[in-house]
Amino acid sequence: MTLLVTGGAGFIGSNFIRYWLEKYPEDDIINLDALTYAGNLASLKDVEQSSRYSFIQGNILDADLVGDLVEKADKIVHFAAESHNDRAILDPGIFIETNIKGTFTLLEAAKKYNKHFHHISTDEVFGHLELGTDDAFSETTPYAPRSPYSASKAGSDHIVRAYHETYGLPITITNCSNNFGPYQHPEKFIPRMITDIIDGGTVKIYGDGLYVRDWLYVLDHCRAIDAVLSKGKNGETYLVGGMTSDVSNKDIALKVLEIMGVSEDKIAYVADRPGHDRRYAVDWTKIHNELGWQPEHSFEEWLKETVAWYQNHESWWRPLKERAESIYTK
Ligand code: NAD
Ligand code: TDX
């Protein structure tokens, strides 16, 4: 089988490509990535020589290129997106272009060649939850995105489903929670903290720090996509979440400081993110019951592994760090 992976030079896409090539020695992967600020071929150094892997630098908005590549593939696994909420607040236009129009361009090609389209989405499309409740998002939760990023992802989800209902396109969707692990850009919360501490700086906590995300180790996410591609039902959506239950950003900062042997006075409370979603939690019962998936990597242990990875891979993140920080001083 040949998979067309979009956005494979990003955080989750690069982890997915490595996972898939190792697990399925018969399969080929074509990676289509525009190499925006978030795309980094250094994340795929160990697979670039593989005869089963090819990289095409190009934009998912390029209909001709996308058509040629979709024709060659058996399935499309669509990661490519603008993915950072803080950037979406500063410059939402590119999120609409890439996340909505880019997905539409791919869907048109998938429709033309009748190829299975797997769409990677986020739990943020459901809006946010109250602190101090047991509520969790499930596949039946109504969409209620609150940020330009999550609204653009919600738009893309709706269009994917519309192509299934209207044109009979074979599709599956996964909406997952916050991923963490190796090769995540240092603009995101956990790598930003680790790299700031390595540099002797402070960790920046937005607002009161009592914001809660559901944390999923990136390889568990790759395993979930695998389960859906192999056994998922055409037209279905599956929610994917991790093993945490209500750990606040402040608690995570304290854990990272402890792992790195740094005192709590390195915490700096900074201005809050506008429209900051308070709490996310994911009920992953459906994918567990129907496809036998569950997360296997505990947050505590893999947070330590992630800290160690950044400590040992400074040459990977250092070139990205200065540029990552520039958005925070705009
Ligand atoms: P990322 O920002 O690290 O990577 C995105 C990749 O897409 C980059 O390699 C970039 O070059 C590429 N790209 C961007 N615009 C493109 C375009 N127009 N054409 C071709 N390539 C383009 O993102 P990520 O964190 O790996 O997220 C991957 C997907 O997973 C996204 O769809 C995101 O919405 C979703 N997601 C991410 C998380 C998370 O915690 N990171 C959680 C839920 C869902
Ligand atoms: O410096 C920071 N300080 C801070 O307190 C940063 C960068 C973030 N935060 C907070 C904001 C969030 O409550 O930490 C939390 C996590 O922030 P991000 O890493 O920016 O992730 P988030 O906005 O939750 O979105 C992520 O998960 C869902 C991904 O970036 C999205 O692509 C995905 O859909």
Side-chain angles (χ1 to χ4, degrees):
M1 176 164 77
T2 298
L3 292 185
L4 173 62
V5 171
T6 70
F11 164 45
I12 307 172
S14 62
N15 277 283
F16 177 79
I17 289 173
R18 183 174 298 101
Y19 165 92
W20 198 272
L21 288 173
E22 263 173 41
K23 178 142 184 227
Y24 296 103
E26 306 296 314
D27 288 358
D28 292 340
I29 289 187
I30 304 169
N31 174 14
L32 170 63
D33 196 298
L35 298 183
T36 68
Y37 81 94
N40 188 354
L41 292 180
S43 307
L44 289 161
K45 270 254 161 291
D46 51 332
V47 305
E48 69 187 8
Q49 298 305 330
S50 166
S51 58
R52 296 184 293 120
Y53 168 76
S54 52
F55 172 67
I56 309 287
Q57 181 169 3
N59 199 307
I60 56 169
L61 286 152
D62 180 343
D64 292 339
L65 174 64
V66 161
D68 290 347
L69 297 176
V70 166
E71 189 178 8
K72 289 184 190 145
D74 297 297
K75 292 185 180 187
I76 301 134
V77 188
H78 176 37
F79 293 94
E82 288 294 331
S83 71
H84 192 34
N85 270 301
D86 291 325
R87 285 180 190 269
I89 294 163
L90 294 168
D91 185 12
I94 185 78
F95 286 70
I96 306 301
E97 287 294 318
T98 299
N99 300 357
I100 299 183
K101 279 178 144 176
T103 303
F104 162 73
T105 306
L106 285 160
L107 284 166
E108 279 288 284
K111 170 162 80 84
K112 181 169 176 194
Y113 296 106
N114 194 35
K115 300 291 169 71
H116 183 106
F117 189 86
H118 180 71
H119 182 56
I120 311 292
S121 193
T122 171
D123 60 356
E124 299 192 15
V125 297
F126 302 113
H128 68 162
L129 302 163
E130 298 285 323
L131 280 183
T133 66
D134 292 334
D135 299 348
F137 301 134
S138 76
E139 287 77 6
T140 56
T141 304
Y143 274 45
R146 304 175 65 251
S147 73
Y149 163 71
S150 55
S152 71
K153 292 297 289 187
S156 67
D157 293 11
H158 291 317
I159 300 168
V160 174
R161 272 191 209 100
Y163 270 62
H164 176 70
E165 298 296 340
T166 309
Y167 306 115
L169 183 72
I171 64 115
T172 40
I173 300 178
T174 42
N175 293 81
C176 72
S177 58
N178 285 58
N179 285 220
F180 70 103
Y183 301 106
Q184 186 168 31
H185 198 280
E187 68 187 1
K188 302 280 169 71
F189 181 49
I190 290 179
R192 187 182 186 203
M193 275 192 290
I194 299 168
T195 53
D196 276 344
I197 297 169
I198 292 172
D199 281 347
T202 53
V203 305
K204 283 80 178 174
I205 303 284
Y206 295 169
D208 59 14
L210 302 179
Y211 291 88
V212 169
R213 267 84 187 108
D214 175 312
W215 291 96
L216 170 69
Y217 189 63
V218 64
L219 280 182
D220 282 331
H221 183 197
C222 295
R223 291 173 46 249
I225 299 165
D226 183 359
V228 173
L229 286 174
S230 317
K231 301 179 269 183
K233 212 169 131 206
N234 181 15
E236 292 290 309
T237 291
Y238 300 88
L239 264 56
V240 183
M243 293 169 97
T244 52
S245 57
D246 281 24
V247 191
S248 71
N249 293 343
K250 184 182 168 193
D251 287 342
I252 295 176
L254 291 172
K255 280 183 206 295
V256 170
L257 288 167
E258 191 189 330
I259 293 167
M260 298 182 75
V262 175
S263 79
E264 290 178 22
D265 61 14
K266 286 285 184 189
I267 290 186
Y269 289 92
V270 299
D272 210 349
R273 175 184 279 174
H276 199 169
D277 285 341
R278 188 49 97 172
R279 172 175 170 264
Y280 307 141
V282 167
D283 175 356
W284 40 264
T285 306
K286 176 177 172 181
I287 188 171
H288 179 58
N289 288 350
E290 295 185 11
L291 308 183
W293 176 90
Q294 62 184 51
E296 286 178 352
H297 295 78
S298 76
F299 184 66
E300 300 276 340
E301 184 183 346
W302 290 86
L303 183 62
K304 282 189 201 138
E305 296 284 339
T306 302
V307 168
W309 189 88
Y310 281 89
Q311 286 171 325
N312 295 325
H313 291 80
E314 182 170 345
S315 61
W316 180 86
W317 59 261
R318 178 65 65 196
L320 312 175
K321 178 74 180 161
E322 200 176 313
R323 193 146 173 213
E325 285 306 305
S326 66
I327 58 163
Y328 296 114
T329 50
K330 269 193 183 173

